[in-house]
Amino acid sequence: MAKIDLTSREWCDLIFEGRNKEYGAYKMRARAPRRLTFSVILVIVIALVGFSIPKLITMVTPEKKEVMTEVTTLSQLEEPEVKQEEVQKVEPVAPPPPALKSSIKFTAPVIKKDEEVADEDEMKSQEELTESKVTISIADVKGNDEEGGELIEDLKTIVTEAPEEEQVFDMVEQKPQFPGGDAEMYAWLSKNLRYPVIAQENGIQGRVVCQFVVGSDGSIRDIKVLRGLDPSCDKEAVRAIQAMPKWIPGRQNGKAVAVRYTLPVMFRLQ
């Protein structure tokens, strides 16, 4: 019996004799020997590279040189000779005393007879302290740094209560008004309002809407521009309102109160 080479092209043609050779199986069978040879070569190459990598790393890595170190024990060192003249006695330096904190001297009370006490040294009654407008405070007391005194920071400052800020109303029974009414107010504005030159040259005209507070005493404060026209016109409107005389304050429940007021200031070219 003749030896058959299963990888030969003749064996492939014999198997597919009388069949459709355009089918993919014929091409795969015909190319099988080539793929087998390529696989064997690839495996051999990978194996050779894998075995040669450690050798290559060893060749590339530089050799470490051994460093010889000599250790000398302390027992082998000679003790230095110390001369008696160089030995000096060092006296300990006492730390400086802590600084005294700012304090005030405590004065013990002295009991005296009524006729020996001057009028200005008498203690004020509670009613006199309440009616007095003088603010009682010890915040400006200067210490004398005396040992055993009371620390100033430990003393509490006694001050009279600050007056409460008055409430500002938006709507009241009786609105505040300029002395003489609105007609006098607009007449005063036309007389005291200065049209900015830069606004005139640029032909700017219109109105600046301002808002301010008329206090319970008729004074004007907290002026702000709600709707501006031009920076120069806005600034002039605020200046004119600040220069107004005191108004007649608004009233709520028969009492003068602070009221928020809105006023348009007109700038019109002639």
Side-chain angles (χ1 to χ4, degrees), residues 5-15 26 29-30 33:
D5 186 5
L6 298 179
T7 60
S8 63
R9 187 63 175 266
E10 291 78 5
W11 173 252
C12 184
D13 292 338
L14 180 61
I15 293 176
Y26 174 77
R29 171 76 71 171

Side-chain angles (χ1 to χ4, degrees), residues 123-134 136 160:
M123 295 182 63
K124 303 294 184 181
S125 63
Q126 187 64 34
E127 295 180 358
E128 291 175 340
L129 292 175
T130 305
E131 295 175 359
S132 177
K133 296 182 179 180
V134 179
I136 303 174
T160 56

Side-chain angles (χ1 to χ4, degrees), residues 88-178:
Q88 297 180 358
K89 185 178 181 181
V90 180
E91 297 181 357
V93 180
L100 295 176
K101 295 184 178 180
S102 183
S103 59
I104 59 176
K105 185 177 181 180
F106 174 75
T107 303
V110 179
I111 302 175
K112 293 183 179 181
K113 295 181 180 181
D114 294 343
E115 57 269 14
E116 296 179 0
V117 180
D119 294 339
E120 60 271 11
D121 295 335
E122 290 184 358
M123 295 182 63
K124 303 294 184 181
S125 63
Q126 187 64 34
E127 295 180 358
E128 291 175 340
L129 292 175
T130 305
E131 295 175 359
S132 177
K133 296 182 179 180
V134 179
T135 301
I136 303 174
S137 174
I138 60 172
D140 58 348
V141 175
K142 295 182 179 179
N144 53 13
D145 295 335
E146 183 177 1
E147 188 173 2
E150 296 290 335
L151 296 180
I152 289 180
E153 56 265 26
D154 294 339
L155 298 177
K156 296 183 179 179
T157 303
I158 305 173
V159 295
T160 56
E161 293 184 0
E164 296 182 0
E165 187 176 354
E166 60 180 353
Q167 181 182 0
V168 180
F169 292 84
D170 292 321
M171 299 292 294
V172 289
E173 297 173 354
Q174 183 178 347
K175 293 183 178 180
Q177 62 176 350
F178 188 87

